[in-house]
């Protein structure tokens, strides 16, 4: 196998898959940094966003990239609604209660997707999309869109967190919630903003996963472990760490088929997660959250 075969068949798909994981992992790390619990419905929210985009594509005949903003807005609204109805009254309870509640929410979202859209495999675009040749690298347009969108969304989030008033309020809540409340920060608005951002990123990860593969009702559940592995690998609470972790997990999964049967590719995320928890539980980029 020469270098170009390695890049075309393993590294480039790994970067694309890692970018998708990164979008979901950033949402996971935001929720954990501010709300202090693991959200197990994250993957199924991504599925919901992907099928929302499919509904727009089917109804209006537009491209998935045009449907993406609508899916982001819709999923963000659903995420805020879920928090208000199911999670808000559990704030003062032990966090494990909310974690288990999120598992129930995941099952509910998946059931709704299966009832509304069915359990059959769907696609945004029919037919075969041939890659373009860039100096020996065979890359599809949708793969370029995925990576560029990930960089744009994460870059915009970083600017928001570091430069805007509410971004700084989110960072303050992640550092010291009690001190932030004493400083006059509106806790409810920060929580709502966190869910808007996390829900939007969920939708983006689901849409790009569906764009590069297929849409299935279980797709979000299957990428939940890789997203958590990415968040923990990079350092929970670090946005840039989630991106780094996502890329590492994605590339590692694709390269694993060189030595393992493809059926075991998903086990690579579990192996990375287990290794990091044993060796360096603080992640690659430990330090101040957000």
């Amino acid at each position: 196998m020469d270098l170009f075969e390695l890049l075309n068949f393993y590294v480039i798909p790994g970067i694309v898959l890692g970018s998708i994981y990164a979008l979901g992992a950033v949402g996971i790390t935001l929720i954990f940094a501010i709300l202090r619990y693991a959200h197990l419905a994250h993957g199924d929210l991504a599925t919901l966003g992907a099928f929302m985009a499919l509904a727009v594509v089917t109804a209006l005949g537009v491209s998935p990239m045009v449907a993406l903003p609508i899916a982001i807005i819709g999923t963000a609204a659903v995420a805020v609604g879920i928090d208000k109805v199911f999670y808000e009254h559990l704030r003062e309870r032990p966090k494990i209660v909310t974690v288990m509640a999120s598992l129930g929410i995941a099952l509910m979202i998946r059931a709704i997707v299966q009832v509304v859209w069915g359990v059959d495999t769907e696609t945004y675009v029919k037919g075969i999309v041939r890659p373009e040749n860039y100096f020996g690298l065979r890359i599809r347009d949708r793969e370029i869109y995925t990576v560029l969108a990930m960089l744009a969304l994460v870059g915009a989030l970083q600017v928001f967190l570091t430069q805007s008033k509410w971004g700084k309020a989110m960072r303050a809540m992640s550092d010291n919630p009690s001190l932030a409340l004493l400083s006059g920060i509106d806790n409810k608005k920060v929580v709502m903003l966190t869910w808007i951002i996390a829900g939007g990123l969920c939708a983006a990860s689901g849409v790009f996963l569906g764009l590069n593969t297929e849409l299935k009702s279980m797709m979000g559940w299957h990428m939940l472990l890789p997203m958590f592995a990415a968040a923990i690998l990079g350092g929970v609470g670090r946005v840039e760490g989630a991106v780094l972790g996502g890329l590492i997990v994605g590339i590692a999964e694709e390269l694993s088929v060189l030595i393992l049967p493809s059926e075991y590719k998903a086990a690579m995320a579990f192996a990375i997660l287990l290794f990091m928890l044993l060796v360096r539980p603080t992640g690659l980029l430990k330090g101040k959250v957000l």
Side-chain angles (χ1 to χ4, degrees), residues 82-228:
I82 288 173
D83 177 66
K84 291 290 185 184
V85 176
F86 296 104
Y87 299 152
E88 190 174 52
H89 69 285
L90 299 175
R91 294 267 197 269
E92 304 303 321
R93 301 286 297 278
K95 298 302 181 184
I96 187 61
V97 176
T98 309
V99 173
M100 297 310 297
S102 71
L103 178 60
I105 297 300
L107 298 175
M108 289 171 57
I109 294 173
R110 194 182 316 153
I112 291 171
V113 169
Q114 291 174 343
V115 168
V116 175
W117 286 281
V119 296
D120 294 332
T121 300
E122 302 284 352
T123 57
Y124 289 125
V125 181
K126 305 295 183 182
I128 299 174
V129 179
R130 298 189 179 278
E132 300 290 336
N133 194 310
Y134 298 92
F135 307 103
L137 299 177
R138 299 177 64 81
I139 308 174
R140 296 175 177 83
D141 289 343
R142 62 194 184 192
E143 295 173 335
I144 297 175
Y145 298 154
T146 301
V147 177
L148 291 180
M150 184 275 289
L151 294 174
L153 289 171
V154 174
L157 176 60
Q158 280 286 57
V159 172
F160 172 78
L161 290 173
T162 55
Q163 303 298 325
S164 70
K165 170 187 173 183
W166 284 107
K168 292 176 181 177
M170 290 175 67
R171 294 173 65 193
M173 283 289 297
S174 70
D175 281 342
N176 192 323
S178 300
L179 184 59
L181 289 173
L182 292 174
S183 302
I185 293 175
D186 191 331
N187 177 45
K188 290 185 178 181
K189 287 185 178 179
V190 170
V191 171
M192 183 176 70
L193 192 56
T194 301
W195 281 109
I196 289 173
I197 296 172
L201 291 173
C202 271
S205 65
V207 169
F208 285 118
L209 181 62
L211 184 62
N212 286 279
T213 57
E214 297 172 324
L215 286 90
K216 301 178 181 179
S217 60
M218 294 292 291
M219 58 189 279
W221 180 252
H222 291 156
M223 71 173 180
L224 183 64
L225 179 60
M227 290 192 300
F228 268 96

Side-chain angles (χ1 to χ4, degrees), residues 8-32:
N8 288 326
F9 292 110
Y10 302 101
V11 177
I12 291 175
I15 292 173
V16 174
L17 184 61
S19 298
I20 295 168
Y21 290 159
L23 288 170
V26 170
I28 287 174
T29 208
L30 279 176
I31 292 173
F32 189 88

Side-chain angles (χ1 to χ4, degrees), residues 196-269:
I196 289 173
I197 296 172
L201 291 173
C202 271
S205 65
V207 169
F208 285 118
L209 181 62
L211 184 62
N212 286 279
T213 57
E214 297 172 324
L215 286 90
K216 301 178 181 179
S217 60
M218 294 292 291
M219 58 189 279
W221 180 252
H222 291 156
M223 71 173 180
L224 183 64
L225 179 60
M227 290 192 300
F228 268 96
I232 293 172
L233 175 61
V236 176
R238 298 294 297 265
V239 171
E240 65 275 23
V243 175
L244 175 62
L247 293 174
I248 292 174
V249 171
I251 293 173
E253 281 194 2
E254 293 298 326
L255 289 176
S256 68
V257 300
L258 291 173
I259 56 175
L260 295 172
S262 59
E263 293 83 2
Y264 294 96
K265 184 169 71 172
M268 183 56 62

